[in-house]
């Protein structure tokens, strides 16, 4: 059966006009040699790791506007960059004594660049400086890495043992959680950076937060040649763990009769560390009993007992490279005046130690809002909160001075 096409009148007029033009051109003997020549192009194809592949460049021949028998083709080449034009971030891993360490390496364009190792606080903080006890996804570690990469520094941040995506497989067994495990992680990360061809080995810096500062200084104490060109200690407590806990309990005390309970708690910890804990009731309130059981849980031992009376300030003289001590005046977890003076008193004359106290920085180095209705742990990683600008400017300026930028 023959099917008839039903065309819209406007489409029919367009079709007839097109056929007339075609027939006229053909009748005039149009020569296809005068048609524009298409220009071949070449594009970079991404490899599995995201790096572009350098294509084989094909010469592009451009004809002169008025072709003549004597015209000479002009050859031009399309240049394809052989590396990304912006920063890149790669998740990777390396071995630390048989334990897998996972991290993120962020790299700006360039070769032989200075590098910064970002070290998180203790207490379950991962590579982005997030922890189960502090809600949110806006970790200061990730923000800090972004700022430093934009300033031209390679950054490496990593999940401490028992944190992050592989926490279930990397967590130490009960009774096997040691301070020196954290020190070994730092050494393995520095060794990883030194193995990278894009890193200038003479310009590797450490930026450590809170308890990470203790770990970094402990490594300085144990290492004759630390391979570090500078250490920045961000929000570092100058107190021992015992002093921190007792101070916080004193702040929370509601009545004079609470003071003997705090003394009983302090004595219980001393007995526990000396392996002389008496049997029976320790005379603690339910809340202090819970705190005692938390601090002495097998999963946190012997780490907590190792640092209970360890004075972090006593480790500062072991730092052989320049040190930046930065404590925010809006930090609710530190007494920046008291502890800042303690850090100053602990430095020695021949050391290059700089002390800075940004007015608006909180404990996680984010800018405080004077009109905020809620502050503290619950807001540390709230969406939209940014790093304190004075903190960022101070850190970048200090790194630039040391690296010669």
């Amino acid at each position: 059966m023959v099917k008839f096409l039903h065309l819209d009148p406007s489409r029919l007029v367009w079709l007839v006009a097109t056929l007339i033009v075609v027939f006229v051109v053909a009748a005039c003997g149009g020569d296809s040699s005068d048609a524009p020549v298409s220009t071949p192009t070449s594009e970079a194809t991404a490899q599995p790791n995201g790096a572009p592949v350098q294509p084989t460049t094909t010469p592009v021949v451009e004809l002169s506007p008025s072709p003549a028998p004597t015209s000479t083709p002009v050859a031009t080449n399309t240049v394809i960059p052989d590396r990304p034009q912006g920063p890149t971030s790669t998740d990777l891993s390396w071995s630390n004594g048989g334990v897998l360490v996972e991290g993120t390496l962020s790299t700006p364009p360039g070769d032989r660049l200075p590098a910064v190792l970002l070290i998180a606080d203790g207490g379950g903080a991962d590579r982005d400086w997030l922890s189960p006890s502090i809600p949110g996804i806006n970790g200061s570690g990730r923000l800090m890495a972004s700022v430093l990469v934009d300033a031209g520094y390679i950054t490496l941040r990593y999940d401490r043992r028992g944190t992050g995506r592989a926490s279930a497989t990397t967590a130490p067994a009960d009774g096997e959680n040691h301070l020196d495990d954290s020190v070994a992680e730092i050494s393995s990360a520095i060794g990883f950076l030194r193995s990278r061809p894009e890193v200038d080995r003479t310009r590797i810096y450490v930026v450590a937060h809170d308890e990470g500062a203790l770990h970094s200084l402990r490594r300085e104490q144990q290492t004759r040649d630390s391979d570090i060109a500078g250490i920045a200690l961000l929000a570092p407590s100058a107190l021992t763990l015992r002093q921190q806990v007792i101070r916080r309990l004193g702040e929370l005390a509601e009545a004079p009769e609470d003071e003997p309970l705090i003394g009983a708690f302090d004595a219980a910890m001393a007995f526990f560390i000396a392996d002389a804990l008496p049997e029976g009731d320790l005379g603690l309130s339910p809340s202090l009993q819970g705190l005692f059981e938390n601090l002495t849980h097998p999963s946190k031992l012997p780490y907590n007992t190792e640092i209970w009376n360890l004075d972090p300030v006593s480790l500062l003289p072991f730092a052989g490279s320049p040190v930046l001590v930065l404590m925010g005046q809006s930090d609710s977890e530190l007494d920046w005046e008291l502890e800042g003076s303690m850090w100053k008193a602990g430095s020695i004359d021949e050391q290059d130690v700089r002390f800075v106290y940004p007015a608006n920085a909180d404990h996680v180095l984010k800018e405080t809002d004077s009109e905020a209705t809620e502050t503290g742990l619950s807001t540390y990683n709230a969406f939209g909160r940014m790093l304190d600008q004075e903190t960022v400017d101070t850190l970048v300026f200090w790194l630039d001075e040391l690296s010669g930028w």
Side-chain angles (χ1 to χ4, degrees):
M1 178 183 296
V2 178
K3 296 183 179 180
F4 295 93
L5 299 174
H6 298 279
L7 298 176
D8 181 81
S10 60
R11 292 281 295 170
L12 183 60
V13 171
W14 174 85
L15 178 60
V16 172
T18 301
L19 291 174
I20 292 174
V21 171
V22 171
F23 289 140
V24 170
V25 171
C28 293
D31 187 355
S32 62
S33 63
D34 291 334
V37 177
S38 61
T39 303
T41 59
S42 57
E43 297 180 355
T45 304
Q47 300 182 37
N49 63 2
V53 176
Q54 181 71 28
T56 303
T57 307
T58 305
V60 179
V61 179
E62 298 179 353
L63 299 182
S64 60
S66 301
T70 58
S71 63
T72 303
V74 178
T76 61
N77 290 333
T78 302
V79 178
I80 304 297
D82 59 358
R83 65 167 58 242
Q85 294 301 296
T88 61
S89 288
T90 306
D91 290 338
L92 35 71
S93 62
W94 64 91
S95 177
N96 171 35
V99 178
L100 193 68
V101 182
E102 295 188 346
T104 300
L105 183 73
S106 299
T107 310
D111 295 309
R112 306 292 293 173
L113 298 175
V116 173
L117 175 64
L118 293 167
I119 302 174
D121 178 22
D126 65 10
R127 74 184 77 179
D128 294 333
W129 299 6
L130 300 171
S131 68
S133 61
I134 303 177
I137 58 173
N138 188 34
S140 295
R142 180 178 59 81
L143 299 179
M144 192 73 70
S146 177
V147 166
L148 293 175
V149 168
D150 287 344
Y153 293 86
I154 294 171
T155 66
L156 177 64
R157 60 192 197 275
Y158 64 92
D159 293 332
R160 297 173 61 251
R161 193 174 180 185
T163 71
R165 304 164 195 170
S167 58
T169 58
T170 63
D174 286 355
E176 296 296 331
N177 188 354
H178 295 273
L179 169 61
D180 287 345
D181 292 338
S182 297
V183 174
E185 280 181 338
I186 297 174
S187 294
S188 73
I190 292 174
F192 177 81
L193 281 174
R194 288 176 57 83
S195 72
R196 303 290 298 190
E198 64 267 47
V199 171
D200 182 349
R201 292 186 176 187
T202 66
R203 294 187 293 170
I204 295 177
Y205 308 94
V206 163
V207 173
H209 179 235
D210 197 350
E211 206 167 292
L214 172 66
H215 303 159
S216 301
L217 293 177
R218 174 76 166 183
R219 181 178 181 273
E220 291 293 295
Q221 180 190 35
Q222 296 179 351
T223 308
R224 177 171 298 179
D225 183 5
S226 66
D227 298 325
I228 294 175
I231 305 175
L233 309 179
L234 308 183
S237 178
L239 306 180
T240 66
L241 178 58
R242 172 184 172 272
Q243 291 170 330
Q244 294 179 55
V245 172
I246 297 300
R247 181 184 68 177
R248 184 53 55 92
L249 290 176
E251 293 171 349
L252 297 175
E254 298 178 351
E257 56 266 26
D258 289 336
E259 293 185 9
L261 293 176
I262 296 175
F265 169 83
D266 192 20
M269 286 298 301
F271 282 128
F272 179 84
I273 292 172
D275 198 21
L277 189 67
E279 296 182 1
D281 186 9
L282 297 175
L284 304 177
S285 66
S287 60
L288 288 178
Q289 181 68 36
L291 176 60
F292 176 81
E293 292 175 358
N294 179 278
L295 288 169
T296 59
H297 191 276
S299 65
K300 300 180 179 180
L301 297 177
Y303 179 84
N304 279 349
T305 58
E306 289 173 338
I307 70 169
W308 186 249
N309 291 306
L310 178 58
D311 177 13
V313 174
S314 68
L315 302 176
L316 181 58
F318 292 100
S321 56
V323 178
L324 171 67
V325 177
L326 188 148
M327 306 170 72
Q329 296 185 35
S330 297
D331 189 337
S332 61
E333 297 187 39
L334 300 175
D335 183 336
W336 68 272
E337 290 182 293
L338 171 63
E339 297 183 54
S341 65
M342 292 172 67
W343 281 110
K344 278 188 176 181
S347 62
I348 55 180
D349 292 340
E350 55 266 31
Q351 279 188 296
D352 178 2
V353 184
R354 187 174 305 179
F355 299 87
V356 181
Y357 310 104
N360 297 317
D362 67 7
H363 190 63
V364 293
L365 296 318
K366 291 192 175 79
E367 186 174 6
T368 54
D369 183 356
S370 59
E371 299 181 357
T373 57
E374 186 178 3
T375 59
L377 294 179
S378 63
T379 65
Y380 275 171
N381 298 322
F383 180 77
R385 292 200 64 201
M386 302 301 294
L387 294 175
D388 173 65
Q389 193 59 50
E390 184 182 356
T391 296
V392 169
D393 292 343
T394 298
L395 179 60
V396 171
F397 180 78
W398 179 77
L399 288 169
D400 287 349
E401 273 192 328
L402 295 182
S403 63
W405 282 29

